[in-house]
Every structure is written in C-alpha cells, then in structure tokens.
C-alpha cells in the first residue's frame, strides 16, 4: 500500500485505510501527497 508524504514537512506517513482523516502526525498539516514511484506531478519546487 502506498503511503503519503506531508506537503509541509515532507514526513513519510503510513495511512490507515480505516481512518477518514489524513493528517501529518508530526506537524498536523492536512495536505498530504500520495507517494508514487513514477508520478512527477507532485515534485515540490524548492
Ligand atoms: Zn508534516
């Protein structure tokens, strides 16, 4: 199962499919990117 990456702190998060909310446990940011191996769409511009 693919995980998520926090859009803010870049923390990798394993999401429990039972949970409704997807919130970064580190910074409580609510915008997470799906972690994908071959999708360059979500590469953040530093
Ligand atoms: Zn975070």
């Amino acid at each position: 199962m693919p995980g998520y990456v926090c859009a803010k702190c870049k923390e990798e998060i394993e999401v429990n499919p039972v949970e409704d909310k997807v919130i970064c446990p580190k910074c409580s940011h609510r915008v997470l990117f799906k972690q994908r191996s071959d999708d360059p769409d979500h590469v953040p511009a530093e």
Side-chain angles (χ1 to χ4, degrees):
M1 168 173 48
Y4 286 76
V5 178
C6 176
K8 191 173 183 181
C9 73
K10 306 299 191 289
E11 177 77 0
E12 291 185 16
I13 300 150
E14 290 189 19
V15 178
N16 187 332
V18 180
E19 296 281 341
D20 287 329
K21 301 174 191 172
V22 181
I23 299 176
C24 177
K26 236 184 179 182
C27 68
S28 300
H29 198 62
R30 294 181 204 172
V31 179
L32 307 181
F33 295 139
K34 275 188 183 174
Q35 199 172 41
R36 298 182 59 165
S37 57
D38 58 353
D39 185 356
D41 288 350
H42 298 310
V43 175
E46 292 286 338

